[in-house]
Amino acid sequence: MSSLKELKEASVTGHAGSSHPWEVLGVCSCALTGCFLYKSINGNSSVLKEALIIWFPMIVCQSVYLVPYGVCIMLGQFLLGAVLFGLSVKNKRESTAISSKQLRKTHEQSIQHLEYLTLYRSSILYLTFVAILQVDFPALFPRRYCKTETQGYGLMDVGAASFCISAGFVRGKRKSSNNKNSLKPFLHTLPLIVIGIVRIVLNQELEYQEHVSEYGVHWNFFFTLGVLTLLPKPKKSLLVPIITMSAYQFALSSLQWQSFIEEAPRTLEELQTESKLLLLEILPMTLANFLVANREGILGCLGYLSLEWTGAWIGQRYLWNTNMNNAKNQRHGLGQLAVVLWMIHLTLVHVMGIPVSRRSTNLAFCTWALAHNVLLLYGLQQIVEMFNGTTSNPSLRIWETANKHGLIMFLIANLLTGLVNLTVPTLEMSAPPALLIMFGYICVVGIAAVLSDMLWNLTAKTRGTATASKKKE
C-alpha cells in the first residue's frame, strides 16, 4: 500500500498539460479583467474589495469551475468594467491642450513608476500563490494545469519562467555596473541558497511530497534564482540570449541532451555508457553524479538565464526608454513584439517540430514563456493607459504590496502551503470545501502582504529618525 507521501507525489507526476497555449493564456487573463473592473470602480483600496474582484476569480479560473463559472466571471467583469469606464471617460481630461513641456514632464514621471509593470509582477505572484496550493487539491485543480512531465503546455510550467522574465524587465532600468569586484551579487545570492538548503532539509525531515522531475533530487527554484543572481550580467543586448538559447537547443536536439534530461536515471552508475554525455566524462565523479541527479535544475538554468537576459533587453527598449520620440511607439511596441514572439513560437512548434519542454527549458518553451508574458504585460499597459486622467483610477495598493515584498510573500505562501498540506487531507477533499480553504488562504496571504508593508515602512521610518538624530549630534 502506497504511503500518503507517495500518493501526493503521484497526483502531480506524469501529466501532459494542454496541447495548445491558449487555455493557459485564457486562465491568466483573469488578472487583466479583474484589474480592469477594479480600476473602473471608484473608492479606496480594501482587502475585501480586492479579494472579491481579483483574488477569488483567480481561484475559480484555476479550477474545475473555469467553465462555465470562471468564463462568466471574466466576461461579467469585462462588460461591467466597460460600462463604468464609459461613464467616467466623459471627464477624461481637464483640458485637451497640453504643452510639450507638460507632456515631457508627465512622460518622465510615468517612466519612474510603471504602474502596469507593478500590476503585471503582482499578477504573476498571486497566480503563483494560488497554483502552488491549489495543485494539491486534485478535485479542484485540473491535472492538465500541473507541471508537465515531458512535453506540453502546463499552467504551472510558465510560473518559474515568468519570475525570470519579470526580473529581467526590472533589470532593464538599471545601469550596468563596472565594479567587477563587487560583493553585492554574492550577498543577494546567499539568502536564496540558504532558503533552498532549508527547504531541502525540511522536506526530508517532514517527509513532504517532492516532484523530482521538476528540478532534480537536490535542486529547487531558490537555487535557480541564486544562479541567476550570482552570474555576471551581460550588456542588455539581444545577441547574447539568442546565441545562448540557440547553442543550448542544438545540444538538446543534436547531442542527445533532451533524451538525457527526460530518460536518464538519477545516478551515474545506472547510466548506460552509450547514453553518457561528453560533459559527464569531463567532470569529476562527484560533480557528474550531482549533474545527473539534478539535470533539470542545472541545465534548465541556461533557459532561465536566456529569459532574464531577453527580459532585460525588452525592459530597456520598451519599458524604460525616456526618449519622447519613442513614447508613441512604446505604447504599442509591446503588442507588436508579442505578435512576433507568438509567430516565432508557433513556427518552432508546428513547422520545425520542436515540442515545448518545461523540463529542459528548450527554445520552444522560452519563446512561449516570452510571448505569453509580453502579451499579458501589454494588456495591463493598455488598461492603465485607458484610465490615465479619468475620474475613476483607483490604485490597487494592497495588490501592489506583493510586488514590493515579492520574496517575503513567496516564502509566506510556501509556508502556508506546507501548513495546509500537513493539516488537511487535500487528496480526499471535494471541490467546494477546497475552494473555501483556498479563498481563506489567499486572504491570509494578502493580509500578510499588508502587514509586511506596514512593518517595512515602520522600520524605514525608525531608521530615518535614527539617522537624522546622529546628524544633529
Side-chain angles (χ1 to χ4, degrees):
M1 186 176 179
S2 300
S3 64
L4 180 61
K5 178 177 182 288
E6 291 172 337
L7 290 173
K8 287 192 173 184
E9 288 174 349
S11 72
V12 296
T13 304
H15 301 292
S18 301
S19 58
H20 57 78
W22 313 121
E23 184 178 14
V24 175
L25 183 63
V27 170
C28 294
S29 296
C30 65
L32 274 68
T33 58
C35 289
F36 179 56
L37 176 59
Y38 189 95
K39 294 186 76 66
S40 301
I41 301 174
N42 284 310
N44 297 323
S45 298
S46 70
V47 173
L48 181 61
K49 183 179 176 183
E50 293 191 18
L52 292 175
I53 296 177
I54 303 178
W55 302 346
F56 185 67
M58 274 190 173
I59 295 171
V60 175
C61 289
Q62 292 189 57
S63 74
V64 293
Y65 297 118
L66 172 63
V67 180
Y69 303 111
V71 173
C72 289
I73 288 173
M74 286 193 288
L75 183 60
Q77 286 181 326
F78 175 77
L79 294 176
L80 180 58
V83 171
L84 295 175
F85 173 75
L87 295 175
S88 66
V89 78
K90 295 179 181 180
N91 302 317
K92 186 174 182 180
R93 297 283 186 271
E94 293 181 0
S95 173
T96 55
I98 302 177
S99 67
S100 59
K101 185 177 180 181
Q102 289 175 317
L103 187 61
R104 180 176 294 276
K105 184 178 179 181
T106 301
H107 175 67
E108 290 176 352
Q109 288 176 342
S110 66
I111 287 294
Q112 296 303 315
H113 173 71
L114 296 179
E115 184 185 358
Y116 64 88
L117 180 59
T118 300
L119 294 178
Y120 159 78
R121 285 167 60 85
S122 298
S123 298
I124 295 302
L125 284 167
Y126 273 95
L127 285 166
T128 303
F129 296 160
V130 172
I132 60 176
L133 176 57
Q134 198 149 299
V135 67
D136 296 318
F137 294 97
L140 182 64
F141 194 81
R143 296 298 90 183
R144 66 183 181 278
Y145 292 170
C146 296
K147 290 202 171 184
T148 54
E149 196 65 25
T150 53
Q151 303 172 5
Y153 299 91
L155 175 64
M156 295 190 71
D157 288 347
V158 80
S162 299
F163 272 88
C164 299
I165 295 168
S166 174
F169 288 159
V170 175
R171 193 170 68 81
K173 182 182 180 181
R174 303 171 192 158
K175 294 181 179 180
S176 301
S177 175
N178 294 322
N179 186 4
K180 296 182 180 180
N181 297 320
S182 175
L183 291 175
K184 188 176 289 186
F186 175 77
L187 295 176
H188 288 170
T189 300
L190 189 59
L192 295 168
I193 300 301
V194 171
I195 293 170
I197 293 172
V198 170
R199 175 168 178 164
I200 291 174
V201 172
L202 288 177
N203 283 350
Q204 292 177 347
E205 290 296 322
L206 298 173
E207 294 189 353
Y208 196 76
Q209 65 267 20
E210 297 176 275
H211 188 184
V212 175
S213 63
E214 185 177 359
Y215 293 106
V217 179
H218 317 103
W219 199 273
N220 55 57
F221 188 55
F222 290 106
F223 292 147
T224 300
L225 291 177
V227 171
L228 268 61
T229 305
L230 184 61
L231 289 181
K233 307 295 187 291
K235 291 183 179 180
K236 301 177 185 74
S237 167
L238 193 58
L239 184 62
V240 176
I242 287 178
I243 292 175
T244 303
M245 200 64 253
S246 299
Y248 180 45
Q249 183 58 52
F250 174 80
L252 290 170
S253 301
S254 303
L255 303 181
Q256 298 183 329
W257 284 28
Q258 187 70 43
S259 59
F260 165 71
I261 290 173
E262 294 179 355
E263 302 168 8
R266 291 291 165 181
T267 61
L268 194 61
E269 291 75 13
E270 297 176 286
L271 193 63
Q272 296 179 2
T273 305
E274 61 271 15
S275 301
K276 289 185 179 180
L277 305 180
L278 177 62
L279 182 62
L280 298 177
E281 301 289 347
I282 299 173
L283 292 173
M285 180 70 70
T286 303
L287 289 179
N289 261 313
F290 187 75
L291 174 59
V292 171
N294 304 283
R295 52 187 180 270
E296 294 92 347
I298 296 172
L299 295 178
C301 287
L302 292 170
Y304 290 127
L305 279 168
S306 299
L307 289 174
E308 188 195 6
W309 293 340
T310 306
W313 177 82
I314 293 171
Q316 183 186 47
R317 184 176 179 85
Y318 293 97
L319 274 60
W320 306 109
N321 195 332
T322 57
N323 188 344
M324 272 296 296
N325 295 327
N326 294 330
K328 292 183 179 180
N329 293 333
Q330 283 178 291
R331 292 179 183 176
H332 299 291
L334 285 173
Q336 295 166 357
L337 178 62
V339 171
V340 171
L341 287 169
W342 277 113
M343 290 175 64
I344 293 173
H345 170 70
L346 295 174
T347 300
L348 289 171
V349 174
H350 298 290
V351 177
M352 300 182 66
I354 302 175
V356 172
S357 174
R358 182 271 314 168
R359 284 182 69 176
S360 64
T361 63
N362 66 351
L363 184 59
F365 172 82
C366 289
T367 54
W368 167 50
L370 285 166
H372 174 93
N373 281 273
V374 171
L375 187 56
L376 288 180
L377 182 63
Y378 175 67
L380 288 167
Q381 181 195 44
Q382 297 308 302
I383 290 172
V384 170
E385 286 284 340
M386 287 172 62
F387 286 95
N388 280 344
T390 63
T391 57
S392 173
N393 191 17
S395 174
L396 287 82
R397 292 176 184 174
I398 301 170
W399 179 260
E400 292 172 0
T401 55
N403 168 63
K404 188 176 179 181
H405 310 288
L407 180 59
I408 295 174
M409 297 313 305
F410 189 60
L411 287 174
I412 291 174
N414 271 271
L415 290 172
L416 289 173
T417 297
L419 181 63
V420 172
N421 269 278
L422 293 173
T423 56
V424 174
T426 57
L427 293 180
E428 294 81 19
M429 188 165 288
S430 60
L435 195 68
L436 293 176
I437 290 175
M438 285 301 307
F439 190 51
Y441 153 81
I442 203 65
C443 286
V444 171
V445 171
I447 293 170
V450 176
L451 294 176
S452 298
D453 193 53
M454 292 173 60
L455 182 61
W456 178 270
N457 292 334
L458 181 62
T459 305
K461 186 177 180 181
T462 304
R463 287 199 304 265
T465 304
T467 304
S469 300
K470 287 182 179 179
K471 286 182 179 180
K472 287 181 180 180
E473 293 174 0

